[in-house]
Amino acid sequence: MSIYKEKGGNGSIEYASSIVHHDGEYDYGTDFKDVDRSKGASSTYAYYNVVCVIAGTGTLGLPHALAQGGWIGIFILVLALLMSTYTAIILVRCLYAKGDRRLSCYKDVATASFGAIGGWITFFFNAWLLLGVPVLYMVLSGANLQELCKNTPGAIGPLPWTIVSCAIIAIPLVLLKNMKETALMSAFGSLSTAVTVIIVLVVACIDQKDVGPVHHDPVIWNQFPIALSTIAFSYGGNVIYSHVEASMRRPQDWPKVAAAGLGTCACLYFLTAIPGYYVYGVNVASPVYDSIPDGVPKTIAIVLMTAHVLTASPLLCTSFALDLEDMLGITVEKLGRVKEFILRAILRIIVIVIVGVVACFVPHFDLLMGLIGSFANCGLIFIFPVVFYLKLTGVRNKPIYELAWCALIAVLGIVGLIFGTKDSIEGLIKAYE
C-alpha cells in the first residue's frame, strides 16, 4: 500500500502517512508534515542521481572482484542487487514512519529507532562515506590528470592536480543547493560511465585474441568473503537516498526510481565484470581499463572516468552539507536568502577544504577508508535499514517470508563486515610495517 497521498493535480505532496498501528494497518491522516515539493524534480532526475553516485569506480573494479572470488560472484551481484533495492525502498519508507512528519535524513531515522546514541553512530558512518569517498575520488582524479598530462608541461604532479580537482568540485558544491539542481550534472556523469563501459567492453573483446588462454575459477573459497564484500559495497547509495527522495516532485515513484537506478548499475557491472574476467582472467587489473592496451580508447576511458568522479563527488558532499545545514538551521525561512547563501557557502567551502586536506596529506587513507568503510557500508546498506524498518514499523505484522528475507540481508551485511574489516586490518598492518 502506498504511503503517499497526493493533493491537487500538480503532483505535489502535502500529506502522507505511514502511521503504523499495532495491527499493522496504515492510517492516512491529514496532519502529516512533508517537505516542500512544489518545485521538486522529476523522477528521471532522481534516477540520474542514483546512477551517478552508485555506478562510480565500482563499475571498473568488479572484474577484479570476480578474479578474487570466481564466477560465483555473478550470483552475488544479482543477490546484492535484490537486497540493496529492497533496503533502498524500506529506508525511505522509514522516513514516513514517525506519524506526524517526514524525517529528514538517515540520522533522524536512527534517532527515532534507538535514540540519540543510535543517531550519532549512524551519522558518523554516514559522514565517513559521504566525505571519505570524495577523498578517494580526488586522489584518483589527481592521478588520472597527471597520467593524461604525462610528458607535457601540464605534468605538475598528482598532488597539485588533486588540489585542482577539489577546486573544480567546489564550484557546483557551493552554487547548487540541493539534489534537484545537481541532476543535470548527474546525467553527464552517468553517461560518462556508460561510455567508459562500452569502450572497455569493445576493446577487451578485440584484445581477446592477443591475450591468449587465461585461468578462471568457479569459486575461490578463501577469497570469496572479500569478493562478496566488494560486490555488495558496489550498490551502496543509501547515504544519499533521503535527499534524493526529498528532491522528487512525485515521491511515490521512489520504488521505481530505486529499482531502475540500481538495475542500470547492475547492467553496467555485468558489461564490465563478465567480459573483463573472461578475457583477462585472474590477472585482470582494477580499474579494468588498466588491463586494456595503451592507446586512444584507454585515454578516452581515463578522461571519462575522471569526469565521472568530478561529477559524483559534489553529489556526496552536497548530501553531507544538507545534513549539516538541517542540523544547524541554515535555511532561507530562518535566515533570509542572502544570509542563508553566505553561511551555506562558508560551510560547504569548509567541507571541500577538509576533503582536500585529507586527500593530500593523510597517508594510507584508502586502507583506513576500507577499515571504517567495512563497518559503514555493511551497516548503512544492509544491516541498519532492516533493523530500523522492523523497529519503526513492527515485526509481528510482517509475513514470514519478508522476515526471512530481512534476516538473509542482515547475515550478508555481517559477513561483509567481518571479512571486510579483517582484510582492511591486514592491509594497514602491511602498509605500516
Side-chain angles (χ1 to χ4, degrees):
M1 183 178 291
S2 173
I3 62 172
Y4 305 108
K5 179 179 178 182
E6 291 192 25
K7 180 184 179 183
N10 59 0
S12 64
I13 307 295
E14 183 177 38
Y15 304 120
S17 87
S18 55
I19 305 173
V20 183
H21 297 289
H22 66 278
D23 59 357
E25 295 298 322
Y26 289 89
D27 176 37
Y28 288 82
T30 57
D31 297 322
F32 192 94
K33 184 180 179 181
D34 195 11
V35 296
D36 180 15
R37 301 184 186 273
S38 58
K39 297 181 180 179
S42 68
S43 300
T44 302
Y45 278 14
Y47 162 81
Y48 291 146
N49 280 329
V50 171
V51 174
C52 185
V53 167
I54 296 176
T57 53
T59 304
L60 304 180
L62 283 174
H64 183 66
L66 289 187
Q68 288 180 308
W71 285 118
I72 196 174
I74 297 175
F75 168 74
I76 301 301
L77 267 174
V78 177
L79 184 63
L81 167 65
L82 298 175
M83 290 181 170
S84 58
T85 302
Y86 176 77
T87 59
I89 294 171
I90 64 173
L91 176 62
V92 168
R93 191 175 297 170
C94 288
L95 296 173
Y96 295 85
K98 191 63 178 175
D100 59 345
R101 62 185 174 86
R102 180 193 183 275
L103 302 174
S104 63
C105 61
Y106 211 145
K107 176 179 177 292
D108 284 355
V109 173
T111 302
S113 301
F114 294 102
I117 294 178
W120 285 111
I121 291 174
T122 302
F123 177 77
F124 171 77
F125 286 149
N126 209 47
W128 185 266
L129 291 181
L130 289 174
L131 294 183
V133 173
V135 168
L136 299 181
Y137 279 179
M138 292 301 95
V139 173
L140 176 62
S141 176
N144 282 355
L145 291 171
Q146 173 66 14
E147 175 67 20
L148 293 171
C149 295
K150 186 170 58 177
N151 300 323
T152 72
I156 56 178
L159 184 60
W161 275 121
T162 298
I163 297 173
V164 170
S165 300
C166 291
I168 292 172
I169 70 169
I171 297 172
L173 179 62
V174 171
L175 296 181
L176 302 179
K177 183 177 180 178
N178 52 43
M179 304 303 280
K180 170 192 173 183
E181 296 175 359
T182 62
L184 290 178
M185 187 168 60
S186 299
F188 175 76
S190 302
L191 179 61
S192 298
T193 303
V195 175
T196 304
V197 167
I198 293 172
I199 291 173
V200 171
L201 173 64
V202 172
V203 174
C205 292
I206 295 174
D207 196 37
Q208 181 182 1
K209 61 180 182 298
D210 298 322
V211 173
V214 295
H215 179 73
H216 305 98
D217 293 288
V219 58
I220 306 173
W221 289 115
N222 63 332
Q223 293 291 314
F224 173 72
I226 298 174
L228 182 151
S229 300
T230 303
I231 293 169
F233 295 166
S234 299
Y235 293 103
N238 291 27
V239 290
I240 70 161
Y241 288 159
S242 61
H243 296 300
V244 172
E245 193 268 356
S247 72
M248 294 173 59
R249 184 169 59 251
R250 291 178 52 83
Q252 60 266 49
D253 289 345
W254 171 250
K256 299 176 184 177
V257 169
L262 288 162
T264 299
C265 293
C267 291
L268 295 175
Y269 293 162
F270 286 128
L271 289 175
T272 56
I274 295 175
Y277 182 47
Y278 179 78
V279 173
Y280 300 106
V282 294
N283 296 318
V284 66
S286 179
V288 67
Y289 57 63
D290 283 344
S291 292
I292 67 177
D294 291 335
V296 174
K298 182 175 180 178
T299 300
I300 295 175
I302 294 175
V303 170
L304 291 175
M305 282 312 298
T306 303
H308 171 84
V309 300
L310 291 175
T311 53
S313 296
L315 302 181
L316 294 163
C317 292
T318 296
S319 185
F320 177 70
L322 288 171
D323 285 344
L324 289 183
E325 289 157 15
D326 180 66
M327 293 166 59
L328 298 174
I330 301 177
T331 64
V332 174
E333 292 76 15
K334 292 183 179 180
L335 304 173
R337 293 188 179 277
V338 175
K339 190 174 181 180
E340 184 270 345
F341 174 78
I342 294 173
L343 292 178
R344 172 162 53 88
I346 292 173
L347 177 64
R348 297 190 180 199
I349 289 172
I350 292 173
V351 168
I352 199 61
V353 168
I354 293 173
V355 169
V357 169
V358 175
C360 293
F361 300 111
V362 175
H364 307 303
F365 180 79
D366 56 337
L367 297 175
L368 184 62
M369 176 69 188
L371 176 59
I372 301 182
S374 298
F375 286 92
N377 268 306
C378 289
L380 295 173
I381 299 168
F382 298 115
I383 303 172
F384 292 172
V386 168
V387 173
F388 296 162
Y389 176 60
L390 295 179
K391 174 69 174 179
L392 291 174
T393 65
V395 175
R396 294 183 178 180
N397 53 16
K398 305 293 187 299
I400 188 66
Y401 62 83
E402 185 174 10
L403 294 176
W405 179 240
C406 288
L408 182 61
I409 294 173
V411 168
L412 181 72
I414 292 171
V415 170
L417 186 152
I418 294 173
F419 289 97
T421 301
K422 175 178 176 291
D423 183 54
S424 299
I425 291 175
E426 292 175 349
L428 277 170
I429 292 173
K430 290 180 181 179
Y432 282 101
E433 285 178 347

